[in-house]
């Protein structure tokens, strides 16, 4: 029989916030996959490493952050060929990612290939970064009838800011400077931001002006 592919969310960075379901899947799967070139580069591995039994087969795959869609898809297909080999040999396989595997996750591309080939795909949800960040900042999301919008940093920020309710910007990266410029010339309220939530280099920002423009990829910001 074919193996089952699991998308496993590790949460933001604090190992104590991993779900029991995620730990159970990691322990039961023969193969554990991480979206990074090596252990040293992988935040997801750092979070779950203490829960991985010694007899597991670990694989690290680099998902490049490039704009060329053709090159990206070729790389994803190549990675999937390895995953397909594990599944075809009957090995249950866990793909561990930070946050949740259903929210702006690299797992979505591998899952799509697996679905197309008829493999069974299941999920172990992780606490998404925007909830952990909101908790650190003490922000209530969805107060009353307030709408909640989750927006990637690569989106049209000006257009997104016109949405009603609270706007949550994830993975801002180099786009933080653009958000700063827009907010400086508008009446929108910057509520707060967190970078590298739950990790050793975690930083909390209550003022947007002090957020550095560099190395802000894992940055989540809240605006009303």
């Amino acid at each position: 029989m074919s193996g089952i592919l699991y998308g496993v969310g590790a949460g933001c960075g604090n190992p104590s916030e991993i779900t029991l379901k995620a730990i159970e899947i990691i322990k039961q799967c023969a193969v554990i996959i991480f979206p990074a070139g090596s252990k040293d580069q992988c935040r997801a591995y750092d979070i779950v490493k203490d829960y991985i039994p010694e007899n597991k087969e670990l694989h690290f795959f680099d998902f490049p952050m490039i704009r060329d869609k053709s090159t990206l898809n070729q790389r994803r297909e190549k990675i999937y060929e390895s995953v397909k080999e594990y599944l075809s040999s009957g090995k249950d396989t866990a793909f561990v990612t930070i946050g949740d595997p259903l929210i702006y996750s690299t797992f979505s591309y591998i899952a799509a290939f697996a679905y197309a080939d008829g493999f069974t795909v299941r999920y172990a949800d992780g606490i998404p970064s925007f909830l952990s960040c909101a908790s650190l900042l003490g922000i209530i999301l969805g107060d009353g009838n307030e709408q909640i919008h989750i927006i990637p940093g690569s989106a049209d920020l000006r257009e997104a800011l016109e949405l009603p309710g609270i706007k949550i910007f994830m993975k801002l990266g180099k786009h933080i400077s653009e958000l700063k410029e827009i907010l400086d010339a508008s009446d929108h309220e910057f509520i707060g931001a967190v970078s590298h939530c739950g990790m050793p280099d975690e930083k909390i920002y209550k003022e947007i002006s002090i957020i550095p423009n560099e190395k802000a990829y894992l940055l989540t910001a809240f605006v009303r």
Side-chain angles (χ1 to χ4, degrees):
M1 293 180 63
S2 297
I4 297 172
L5 177 61
Y6 292 90
V8 178
C12 285
N14 188 336
S16 68
E17 295 181 353
I18 302 172
T19 66
L20 293 175
K21 181 179 179 180
I23 294 172
E24 289 173 1
I25 289 173
I26 288 171
K27 289 182 176 180
Q28 81 177 45
C29 286
V31 178
I32 314 294
I33 293 173
F34 296 94
S38 68
K39 289 181 181 179
D40 295 338
Q41 302 172 339
C42 189
R43 294 183 182 273
Y45 174 77
D46 286 340
I47 299 170
V48 305
K49 61 185 178 183
D50 291 339
Y51 302 108
I52 303 174
E54 293 183 0
N55 62 338
K56 299 302 177 180
E57 185 178 335
L58 306 184
H59 295 281
F60 296 82
F61 295 104
D62 183 34
F63 285 77
M65 296 177 63
I66 55 178
R67 291 182 177 274
D68 189 300
K69 291 185 178 181
S70 176
T71 302
L72 269 176
N73 200 51
Q74 288 176 12
R75 177 59 180 162
R76 290 164 183 163
E77 286 183 354
K78 185 176 180 180
I79 292 171
Y80 172 67
E81 287 304 312
S82 295
V83 177
K84 183 178 180 179
E85 183 178 332
Y86 311 144
L87 298 175
S88 297
S89 63
K91 296 179 179 179
D92 286 349
T93 301
F95 186 115
V96 183
T97 180
I98 59 173
D100 187 280
L102 294 166
I103 302 175
Y104 297 126
S105 170
T106 51
F107 177 70
S108 63
Y109 308 109
I110 302 304
F113 289 130
Y115 276 125
D117 281 340
F119 291 110
T120 299
V121 181
R122 295 176 182 167
Y123 298 87
D125 300 323
I127 299 175
S129 62
F130 65 86
L131 289 181
S132 291
C133 292
S135 177
L136 285 172
L137 291 165
I139 299 172
I140 301 298
L141 302 179
D143 186 12
N145 293 322
E146 181 183 53
Q147 294 184 18
I148 303 169
H149 300 276
I150 303 170
I151 303 150
S154 57
D156 185 322
L157 301 187
R158 292 183 184 277
E159 182 177 288
L161 284 167
E162 295 310 311
L163 294 168
I166 190 167
K167 277 72 67 172
I168 305 171
F169 295 93
M170 297 179 61
K171 298 185 177 181
L172 275 167
K174 62 183 180 181
H175 303 286
I176 182 60
S177 57
E178 180 185 355
L179 183 62
K180 284 182 178 181
E181 182 181 338
I182 296 171
L183 293 182
D184 188 54
S186 74
D187 294 328
H188 293 289
E189 177 192 3
F190 172 77
I191 306 170
V194 179
S195 68
H196 301 92
C197 181
M199 302 174 188
D201 51 349
E202 173 186 281
K203 292 188 181 299
I204 299 174
Y205 302 98
K206 295 295 183 69
E207 297 179 15
I208 195 169
S209 60
I210 63 175
I211 302 176
N213 292 333
E214 300 81 18
K215 299 181 180 180
Y217 174 66
L218 291 177
L219 175 72
T220 300
F222 299 79
V223 178
R224 279 196 175 95

